[in-house]
Amino acid sequence: MRVLLSAALQPSHFFPLVPTAWALRAAGHDVRVAHQPRLAPFVQAAGLTSAVVGPDTEIDADRRREAQKSQAAVGPAEGTGGEATRPSDAENRHHIRIALSLFADSAEQMTGGLLDLCRDWRPDLIVFEWQSYAAHLVAEVLGIPSVRHQFSGPDFEAGIKGWREMERDSLLALYREYGVDDVRPDGHATVDPCPPVLQVDLPADRTYLPVRFIPYNGSGRLQEWMYRRSQRPRVALTVGSSYLWMTGNLSPVQRFAELLSRMDVDVIAAVPQGGAKLLGDLPDNIRLAENVPLELFLPSCDAIISHGGTGTVGTSLAHGVPQILTPPRAMGDPPFHNAERIVASGAGVQVDVQSDPDERIVDAIETVVQGHAYRTAALGLARSEEERPLPLELVGDLEELARL
């Protein structure tokens, strides 16, 4: 069976596909990954065949300014214990439309080259990360069975009111250009690696294929510092590559680093490629890890501080690491949803790095690092995730779908 996988924009959109791609290869199938140029080294490092289509999509100055505007301090809502105010419905729709405009640009840039590739190679099945819309469109044009692949986060199309309408508004002109009258990028089924603690109520009229989330954040070389630690607590600190790409800065890391420098902890600050030059010199108790996969050192950590992105939250859940989450308004509702679910599970806390006073953030970090209840809850979630089907168990379902 020939299977074409497709990812758009950022490495974080490719990484969730890797365990599925490996499972298909292990089952003897021919697998290729279609993507924009920026993702080529990540696809090749994963041991997969890379097929570059279209140019890279760049975030323009106007959209970056919108993301930076949302970084302005917003005071905590009354009664929330200092947690960041969740975006209003209007703000959330605004952020979603900005994000969808980027993915619509990506789809427009990828569709022509992807159509040529599929006409020549003739895949039996297309598996697309859920916002690689070009791959779904090409599958519709050529009549190829397609499968939508979620991340380790919830199905936001099912969970966020108005998502499908905004998706349709962003993509309908492109779909109609290629003779497809409506925008319903559901595929014949959806691969669902989202841990149940994060998932929303899913519609009964669609086919979901549950699978265990296997963390993959890129390839790397294991070094002694990643597993050998001092007697002090160890804390991971990151905001993810999408945040840097959108805002152009790492201001949350800088504030957390200043606060952590006052504490009796060791810190690993994990930043994307290019992040080190933005941070400059760091305090002595903070080790900078630029472009280093989280799963190489996260098992040695007592807690992680992050923006609440799906890949980071899912990786932390898989390793049973308690979380301190500071969702950015620039990314709309999704990281707030993740943070609320983690807090409700007892496996972490939420703070607002933009507006919380120093003492509240320090207290929150100390509470999680020293509190056995957070670790116990996180380990319980990790054990429950191990009960879900492995990617290899998914291959038979994908083979059946390819025969449609």
Side-chain angles (χ1 to χ4, degrees):
M1 180 171 72
R2 290 182 172 181
V3 185
L4 183 73
L5 284 76
S6 180
L9 287 186
Q10 288 291 303
S12 58
H13 282 249
F14 161 66
F15 291 155
L17 298 176
V18 172
T20 302
W22 285 344
L24 287 162
R25 288 292 293 134
H29 298 300
D30 192 358
V31 176
R32 296 182 183 180
V33 183
H35 55 84
Q36 293 171 283
R38 183 182 290 112
L39 300 187
F42 300 97
V43 175
Q44 294 166 21
L48 297 168
T49 301
S50 162
V52 175
V53 291
D56 281 322
T57 302
E58 303 296 344
I59 185 167
D60 58 53
D62 288 340
R63 285 183 281 204
R64 176 159 286 171
R65 274 194 295 271
E66 285 295 314
Q68 291 171 342
K69 276 168 54 179
S70 68
Q71 288 183 299
V74 178
E78 185 177 353
T80 63
E83 294 171 3
T85 307
R86 195 166 184 158
S88 67
D89 287 346
E91 290 174 313
N92 192 37
R93 291 174 71 86
H94 175 68
H95 290 306
I96 290 171
R97 288 187 185 281
I98 291 174
L100 284 171
S101 71
L102 287 164
F103 287 101
D105 287 353
S106 170
E108 184 174 1
Q109 292 163 337
M110 290 180 69
T111 298
L114 196 52
L115 194 57
D116 290 342
L117 172 64
C118 289
R119 281 174 172 153
D120 289 338
W121 192 55
R122 303 183 64 82
D124 300 295
L125 182 69
I126 292 177
V127 179
F128 62 99
E129 59 91 353
W130 70 290
Q131 289 192 290
S132 184
Y133 297 113
H136 173 260
L137 175 55
V138 167
E140 292 292 293
V141 170
L142 298 180
I144 300 170
S146 66
V147 172
R148 178 174 175 253
H149 200 300
Q150 288 288 129
F151 301 163
S152 57
D155 186 342
F156 293 120
E157 191 282 317
I160 294 180
K161 184 179 178 181
W163 183 285
R164 180 49 53 89
E165 290 73 20
M166 291 183 281
E167 207 171 41
R168 183 179 292 115
D169 290 346
S170 298
L171 294 160
L172 186 57
L174 177 64
Y175 272 58
R176 286 183 172 172
E177 180 182 337
Y178 285 89
V180 179
D181 291 332
D182 198 9
V183 180
R184 297 197 63 83
D186 300 322
H188 291 85
T190 295
V191 175
D192 175 24
C194 178
V197 68
L198 299 178
Q199 189 57 280
V200 297
D201 292 333
L202 298 174
D205 59 348
R206 298 185 203 164
T207 300
Y208 285 84
L209 305 174
V211 66
R212 187 195 304 182
F213 174 64
I214 307 294
Y216 178 81
N217 316 117
S219 61
R221 180 173 63 88
L222 189 66
Q223 301 176 55
E224 187 173 317
W225 67 263
M226 296 174 178
Y227 56 86
R228 188 179 301 279
R229 44 178 286 179
S230 73
Q231 296 302 308
R232 298 198 299 183
R234 173 178 275 191
V235 177
L237 169 62
T238 186
V239 293
S241 59
S242 293
Y243 182 91
L244 174 58
W245 186 67
M246 288 176 61
T247 67
N249 65 64
L250 292 172
S251 61
V253 174
Q254 291 168 317
R255 185 174 184 210
F256 276 118
E258 196 278 324
L259 296 176
L260 288 161
S261 70
R262 312 175 195 171
M263 301 174 64
D264 188 28
V265 295
D266 294 323
V267 181
I268 302 173
V271 299
Q273 190 71 42
K277 63 184 179 183
L278 297 176
L279 294 178
D281 294 334
L282 291 171
D284 291 341
N285 67 329
I286 299 178
R287 175 187 287 271
L288 184 67
E290 185 176 38
N291 200 32
V292 175
L294 274 179
E295 69 260 30
L296 292 184
F297 62 84
L298 193 57
S300 73
C301 294
D302 297 290
I304 181 170
I305 302 169
S306 85
H307 60 306
T310 56
T312 304
V313 170
T315 300
S316 303
L317 282 170
H319 290 293
V321 178
Q323 305 183 49
I324 299 109
L325 301 170
T326 179
R329 298 169 68 85
M331 299 177 77
D333 189 76
F336 284 86
H337 168 92
N338 293 339
E340 289 172 3
R341 291 295 184 91
I342 293 300
V343 171
S345 75
V349 300
Q350 180 181 335
V351 298
D352 185 354
V353 70
Q354 299 295 339
S355 63
D356 277 348
D358 291 356
E359 59 270 19
R360 179 177 190 275
I361 295 177
V362 171
D363 285 348
I365 297 170
E366 289 179 340
T367 298
V368 172
V369 170
Q370 298 171 7
H372 296 296
Y374 293 102
R375 170 65 76 171
T376 299
L379 290 172
L381 293 172
R383 284 192 294 270
S384 67
E385 184 65 12
E386 292 173 358
E387 299 173 4
R388 306 187 84 205
L390 290 166
L392 277 171
E393 300 173 69
L394 189 72
V395 172
D397 293 317
L398 298 179
E399 291 169 342
E400 287 294 324
L401 289 166
R403 299 187 186 104
L404 294 177

